[in-house]
Amino acid sequence: MLLVERAPAKINLTLHILGRRADGFHDLESLVAFSRSGDRLAFQPGSPVSLYIEGPTAPAAGTVEGNLVLTATRHFAARFPSAKLGAFHLVKHLPVAAGLGGGSSDAAAALRLLAKANQIAFDDVGLHEAARLTGADVPVCLHRKARMMRGIGDQLSPLPELPPLFGLLVNPMVPVETKAVFAQLKLVPGEASRFGGHPAIGPKPSAEGLIDLLRKARNDMEFAACRLLPLIGDVLAVMSAAPGAQLARMSGSGATCFAIFKDRHSLVRARKALSQAHPDWWVKGCILH
């Protein structure tokens, strides 16, 4: 029986860089939310392991052999040697190297499909170990719900009950390399950043309270990414000026930016205006949760 999973976009509503660890990785605090749409991954259990990729952004997705869907499958198989594997069919809609965790979300979708096919609980330790070994963002993508992510992505908070947000995602369709953005921060191993920590989030913030909190927070990679790709600053300026926009910020290491609008009408109006003014940009309205 064919199984299907959504692989939604992961949006870093905030991203605070606390420092660089002795092993070279960066410590972070990030409030992560998800859209309700993104890539689509289908799975045929029992077939030989394979991956077929198509869709609007498939040409930028790299080689099949290096895709995180197959990496996740290998880590899953190592932890569940007798499990059924199979063939995957990925339809790519999310931009690549865009700060939306598309590859990680695809990998998490693959793990959910493998768990369903083999009747493995989503909270199984082996499943989460496979996610962690696949990539830093894969654990948070497993459950597709808002989380506070810390460390290198391996420390996840209980789920805060966030109100749904009217979000607009915009990518100028120019990739930004995460490694190059981190390099702009110029933190040496063992060095703490100068940026400061993340403001506390209550257990059930109102929409107004959440927007106020987000305004007090930051994405510490935004300035660095804008130095590498000034077009990101142009995108943010256009989004900030849209009527009804309450906040505009870059997600992850870029180049995707998001804006949160006061209501659906403002969101739809901004989406139409931006799509018409910049037909070469990727523009997507969504509900963030």
Side-chain angles (χ1 to χ4, degrees):
M1 179 178 68
L2 187 69
L3 303 175
V4 179
E5 277 281 321
R6 291 181 298 109
K10 174 191 70 66
I11 296 90
N12 297 90
L13 297 176
T14 66
L15 180 54
H16 290 209
I17 305 299
L18 303 184
R20 193 172 182 187
R21 308 186 329 178
D23 61 9
F25 290 100
H26 290 77
D27 270 321
L28 58 86
E29 289 181 322
S30 178
L31 178 58
V32 172
F34 290 86
S35 67
R36 293 178 179 171
S37 61
D39 297 339
R40 178 184 182 274
L41 186 65
F43 177 61
Q44 184 63 60
S47 300
V49 174
S50 63
L51 172 62
Y52 176 72
I53 308 174
E54 63 175 339
T57 59
T63 65
V64 168
E65 293 76 15
N67 194 279
L68 290 181
V69 168
L70 293 184
T71 303
T73 301
R74 288 192 290 270
H75 286 304
F76 177 88
R79 274 137 198 88
F80 303 98
S82 61
K84 287 186 295 185
L85 305 180
F88 293 96
H89 180 184
L90 175 61
V91 182
K92 286 291 298 179
H93 294 284
L94 297 175
V96 177
L100 293 175
S104 296
S105 191
D106 295 341
L111 291 173
R112 289 193 300 272
L113 289 166
L114 288 163
K116 285 181 181 179
N118 292 280
Q119 298 182 322
I120 295 169
F122 283 178
D123 60 356
D124 187 281
V125 173
L127 189 69
H128 281 263
E129 180 69 2
R132 185 187 66 80
L133 291 172
T134 301
D137 282 343
V138 181
V140 77
C141 291
L142 265 181
H143 294 281
R144 299 174 292 182
K145 294 289 185 181
R147 291 275 185 123
M148 178 61 76
M149 185 170 66
R150 294 184 172 87
I152 59 171
D154 55 335
Q155 302 169 31
L156 303 177
S157 75
L159 297 175
E161 292 187 45
L162 299 186
L165 301 172
F166 297 102
L168 183 66
L169 307 178
V170 177
N171 187 287
M173 298 308 289
V174 180
V176 179
E177 185 186 7
T178 299
K179 184 177 179 181
V181 179
F182 271 120
Q184 289 287 315
L185 300 178
K186 296 181 169 58
L187 293 173
V188 300
E191 181 183 3
S193 76
R194 64 186 183 280
F195 302 122
H198 197 289
I201 303 172
K204 194 174 181 180
S206 65
E208 295 78 10
L210 179 59
I211 294 297
D212 184 59
L213 181 145
L214 293 177
R215 287 176 179 148
K216 295 174 183 176
R218 314 173 302 274
N219 180 343
D220 290 333
M221 301 182 78
E222 188 173 288
F223 179 74
C226 286
R227 290 185 64 183
L228 290 173
L229 183 64
L231 182 57
I232 294 173
D234 298 336
V235 174
L236 288 168
V238 170
M239 298 179 80
S240 296
Q246 297 178 295
L247 173 79
R249 180 170 289 156
M250 189 182 78
S251 177
S253 58
T256 301
C257 300
F258 68 89
I260 297 173
F261 287 81
K262 64 181 182 180
D263 52 38
R264 188 183 297 273
H265 175 72
S266 300
L267 167 61
V268 171
R269 183 171 56 182
R271 180 184 59 78
K272 289 181 178 178
L274 276 170
S275 296
Q276 291 172 359
H278 302 278
D280 53 334
W281 289 3
W282 181 84
V283 180
K284 181 74 174 178
C286 62
I287 302 296
L288 301 177
H289 64 102

